[in-house]
Amino acid sequence: MRAIVSHSENQPAQLNEVGEPDRESGDVLLEVTHSSVNFKDGLALAGRGIVRRWPTVLGIDIVGTVAESASNAFSVGDRVTLNGAGAGEVRDGGFAERARVSSESLIRIPDSISSSQAAAIGTAGFTATIAVLALADLGVLPDGGDVLVTGAAGGVGSLAINLLSRRGYRVVASTGRAAEQSAFLSSLGAAEVIDRSQFSDPIAHPLQRERWGAAVDSIGSHTLANVLAQTRYGGVVVSNGMAQGIDLPATVLPFILRAITLVGANSVDAPRGLRERAWATLGDELDLQALDSLTAVVGLGDTIAIADEILHGRIRGRTVVQIA
Ligand SMILES: NC(=O)c1ccc[n+]([C@@H]2O[C@H](COP(=O)([O-])OP(=O)(O)OC[C@H]3O[C@@H](n4cnc5c(N)ncnc54)[C@H](OP(=O)(O)O)[C@@H]3O)[C@@H](O)[C@H]2O)c1
């Protein structure tokens, strides 16, 4: 079968003919129909970390149809998806025509969502949903002030905007591409679009004007430090990404003087209950027309070239890899 494979550390991946998936790698065999390209896939495709076992088929998202199942939970023909759980890092992922996966992390796609749309959602949408659920679980209500979404035109950001606005939050979208993406971000549900440059530099003051009731941050580094410094008393900030950097040059003052909460969101190791809850939420709440408007589709043969685009922030929304 055809697959995109990382053969060794620090080397870009290659599209190869490879053998069928190993029986030991999971109790369910999938005919893969789609995958997607996330920021993390961009790093892996370019040979810049992520992969921890070689050779490995890349692709952290897998969407397919069950072809064989030794699990009671899944039957031949079921449409399923798997996000993270080590795919494309320590076990074979979704950039291949077939994949063998563990039923433990596998989720049946809600009937309202097509297989291509499930791939468009992918890890980015799954993570955005985990972030939105975290805000709700921590008591953030739509009347609790503006919710800032950073990295707004990216995968996690664009889907977080849509989910939050559909829940009634007033969403402010922060982007480096305001001139070209404002109309798009408004169509997803952003009430306001602002320039990300105001968050990019080292914090001028550890406590700034209180602007945000909550925030979903894909950027980290100075951006997250500024967001913390601008969050209102009692507000909640979800940290899910590191597009600017993994550092956090902040102070404790927003925590001890404004009682704010900083909470993490992790998709890779999400337990089964959270996976089921997030996908049920997506099935009920995501605007699928908006999802289609932010999705581009490529073939397996075009996927390696996308790495450079996503790593330079030139992709808008989501890129689906059509495999079947
Ligand atoms: N925790 C998890 O489980 C999890 C899951 C998925 C993703 N992530 C992380 O979340 C982040 C976003 O992922 P994604 O798939 O949404 O990526 P993406 O589609 O590439 O979007 C990232 C966005 O971040 C902004 N950006 C890029 N470089 C920047 C910089 N130097 N400074 C400020 N903003 C910058 C850009 O938005 P604008 O053009 O709008 O400015 C870009 O579109 C990544 O760091 C990824 O690794 C984590």
Side-chain angles (χ1 to χ4, degrees):
M1 63 174 183
R2 289 187 318 146
I4 295 178
V5 182
S6 169
H7 289 278
S8 60
E9 203 169 2
N10 304 325
Q11 292 299 317
Q14 295 172 357
L15 178 59
N16 297 139
E17 287 287 331
V18 301
E20 289 297 316
D22 192 354
R23 280 211 160 261
E24 274 81 75
S25 30
D27 51 350
V28 179
L29 176 69
L30 303 180
E31 286 289 343
V32 181
T33 57
H34 304 83
S35 184
S36 84
V37 188
N38 297 273
F39 190 82
K40 200 168 179 179
D41 294 307
L43 291 169
L45 286 162
R48 288 175 46 188
I50 304 299
V51 183
R52 282 170 285 146
R53 181 207 75 168
W54 293 271
T56 288
V57 174
L58 299 186
I60 66 171
D61 289 324
I62 309 177
V63 174
T65 309
V66 174
E68 279 175 36
S69 174
S71 157
N72 291 333
F74 295 96
S75 309
V76 171
D78 284 352
R79 292 185 313 117
V80 292
T81 186
L82 183 141
N83 307 114
E89 295 186 59
V90 293
R91 48 186 67 94
D92 288 341
F95 296 157
E97 289 169 313
R98 279 171 291 288
R100 232 178 216 288
V101 299
S102 162
S103 55
E104 185 46 39
S105 308
L106 205 56
I107 295 292
R108 200 171 277 105
I109 298 169
D111 289 342
S112 57
I113 297 176
S114 73
S115 296
S116 175
Q117 287 167 332
I121 292 167
T123 286
F126 176 48
T127 306
T129 312
I130 292 174
V132 171
L133 293 174
L135 293 183
D137 290 350
L138 287 164
V140 176
L141 298 171
D143 62 4
D146 289 356
V147 180
L148 177 71
V149 175
T150 58
V156 178
S158 54
L159 289 162
I161 290 169
N162 190 250
L163 288 166
L164 287 164
S165 73
R166 286 178 62 98
R167 285 191 164 205
Y169 295 96
R170 185 176 189 278
V171 181
V172 177
S174 165
T175 179
R177 299 180 268 176
E180 74 246 48
Q181 302 299 351
S182 277
F184 166 67
L185 296 171
S186 303
S187 76
L188 296 181
E192 206 180 319
V193 178
I194 60 175
D195 198 297
R196 78 182 191 199
S197 60
Q198 60 190 278
F199 303 103
S200 304
D201 296 330
I203 48 171
H205 195 283
L207 290 177
Q208 301 168 25
R209 181 167 69 85
E210 294 179 60
R211 297 171 73 185
W212 319 117
V216 174
D217 178 62
S218 292
I219 310 302
S221 191
H222 300 302
T223 299
L224 179 54
N226 277 296
V227 171
L228 294 172
Q230 295 173 11
T231 298
R232 282 162 53 161
Y233 181 90
V236 180
V237 177
V238 182
S239 166
N240 68 259
M242 42 142 217
Q244 187 177 21
I246 60 168
D247 57 330
L248 179 52
T251 77
V252 296
L253 292 188
F255 306 103
I256 63 175
L257 295 182
R258 288 189 182 154
I260 73 161
T261 300
L262 176 60
V263 59
N266 172 277
S267 59
V268 178
D269 302 309
R272 173 149 207 100
L274 180 56
R275 288 176 187 272
E276 285 171 349
R277 186 177 167 214
W279 274 94
T281 302
L282 284 158
D284 290 343
E285 297 185 24
L286 188 67
D287 175 352
L288 295 173
Q289 238 177 318
L291 177 70
D292 292 344
S293 78
L294 60 80
T295 303
V297 181
V298 299
L300 204 51
D302 305 315
T303 303
I304 293 173
I306 300 289
D308 200 44
E309 299 292 303
I310 199 158
L311 293 177
H312 286 92
R314 291 196 289 259
I315 299 281
R316 179 180 94 166
R318 299 281 297 141
T319 304
V320 166
V321 181
Q322 175 137 18
I323 292 170

